[in-house]
Amino acid sequence: MASTQARTIKIVLAYDGTDFAGFQRQANARTVQQVLEEAIAPIEGAAVNVAGAGRTDSGVHALGQVASFKLTSTIPTRELRQALNATLSATGSNDVRVLSVEDMTGEFHARFSARAKLYRYRIVNADLIDPFERRFAWHVPRTLDLDAMRRAAQALEGTHDFSAFQATGGKTSTSVRTIASSVWTESPLAAGGRLLIYEIAGSGFLKHMVRSIVGTLVDAGSGRRAPESVAALLQSGERAAVGPTAPPHGLYLVRVDYETAAPVSFS
Amino acid sequence: MASTQARTIKIVLAYDGTDFAGFQRQANARTVQQVLEEAIAPIEGAAVNVAGAGRTDSGVHALGQVASFKLTSTIPTRELRQALNATLSATGSNDVRVLSVEDMTGEFHARFSARAKLYRYRIVNADLIDPFERRFAWHVPRTLDLDAMRRAAQALEGTHDFSAFQATGGKTSTSVRTIASSVWTESPLAAGGRLLIYEIAGSGFLKHMVRSIVGTLVDAGSGRRAPESVAALLQSGERAAVGPTAPPHGLYLVRVDYETAAPVSFS
């Protein structure tokens, strides 16, 4: 068959990661990539390969994941969005929704074109966790020193080698990343205790990096390590010296930014 | 065995109703009552019968359901709360939590002593529903006239015979109830569209009454009925003339009020 001029499509996605084995396709597990590819195939009339901006782990959520793929179908973007959501709904995938669909130039690629990402981590710091939060926040009942966590978080801002915070098995040419902001905020919870929210924005993230950072910052808040030790971790690169990896269900990929927009800022 | 002086315990509960077949125990289905009774029995060393203030339907949530039961165990209330939550957690029931435990006088009964209840119904009135809201709000994508819904809601305030809004199979001596307030509020959603919240406070509610009211009010908002027709429904008592019953997953039992407190107000 003659080759057809392909469009490059960018989609923005939200998903509840609870019942997904992460974004990336794998054998014998339900993934976001698989569910999307299966929704697109009948529209295209052929298999389509979807690339995600971030390979979120099993259980990690997304408010604004970005994915891209090539399409020869001439379906208008608005109809494509409706068709994808209708198919996801009809196939029982109500835990993922396509928020927007856009035609891009041929060079666009969700992962390689990304300039910055914003991740959010939610902690319920209270005696009890509300049943409605159990899949959407990490429950840390012990007393946490937020001031210590803030000082430890600040040490991560700037350009550093984050190899200490990289899971074994992560494969990248370099573990140097630039973190634009690393900030904790808190708000009171109606039932008592407080919600702690950590937001980290940066040029890119290594495998398990955010969860490993959160585990380390919570160690600083628990008095298990000095806030100042985080700077030393960045120097040493010692994986064994970081805190435990925080559970996936507190983590959200909030946003991915690209060159086309104004300079990156997450204010 | 000699009978022991029994305590009367009041507990306040929150639960995600998604995976429960309602509050009330039934054969071959997981209910809140069953899960609670199974958590209390090992502490008491005997079967315990738990009474709920409201018999929430399958899929309906609670932020402040109240239940009561008799207990001979002398366990302090604080420890009882901890023990119940630990048992619920250990048995995989992370979708229900005991928020508080209180010793009451012998006459207290969660249902019979209740003076007022507050229910809330959440509607996502937007093109798409956020995956995180799919189990916690009714998705109504069509345009709704909130002003019409407010006028229709107001007609319900006061003392009326609500037999038109009662499910067949509901068994009560009278279908007259007093509604203290029946109000809609709205707030914008980040992804577009709006969240509509209906709150209804009253002396008591018939089977499916709140969901039947919400279905009728949404009909008024959709232009399927005149807002003024709601007053006529209360007069006629015609079940066939009300709107469809709204789905359970948008409904929350928010609070139950008792005599001991100050005069009932839900402001």
Side-chain angles (χ1 to χ4, degrees), chain A residues 122-140:
Chain A
R122 301 175 76 249
I123 292 176
V124 168
N125 184 211
D127 185 22
L128 276 185
I129 186 164
D130 180 333
F132 299 95
E133 286 285 9
R134 72 193 189 285
R135 296 186 177 118
F136 305 114
W138 183 21
H139 181 208
V140 180

Side-chain angles (χ1 to χ4, degrees), chain A residues 121 123 138 140 142-145 149 184 196 213-225 246:
Chain A
Y121 198 97
I123 292 176
W138 183 21
V140 180
R142 64 184 177 276
T143 304
L144 292 175
D145 177 351
M149 289 161 73
W184 286 97
L196 301 180
I213 285 173
V214 170
T216 303
L217 298 180
V218 166
D219 268 4
S222 310
R224 290 180 187 162
R225 69 162 57 245

Side-chain angles (χ1 to χ4, degrees), chain A residues 14-19 61-63 78 81-82 85 94-99 127-132 134-136 191 252, chain B residues 14-19 61-63 78 81-82 85 94-99 127-132 134-136 191 252:
Chain A
Y15 48 85
D16 173 347
T18 308
D19 297 329
H61 312 294
L63 302 175
R78 192 186 150 82
R81 173 171 168 274
Q82 285 173 339
N85 285 320
N94 284 319
D95 47 357
V96 54
R97 280 294 174 271
V98 178
L99 304 181
D127 185 22
L128 276 185
I129 186 164
D130 180 333
F132 299 95
R134 72 193 189 285
R135 296 186 177 118
F136 305 114
Y252 298 71
Chain B
Y15 48 85
D16 172 348
T18 309
D19 298 328
H61 313 292
L63 301 174
R78 192 188 150 81
R81 174 172 168 272
Q82 285 173 339
N85 285 320
N94 284 320
D95 47 358
V96 54
R97 280 294 173 270
V98 178
L99 304 180
D127 185 21
L128 276 185
I129 186 164
D130 181 335
F132 299 94
R134 73 194 189 284
R135 297 186 177 118
F136 306 112
Y252 298 71

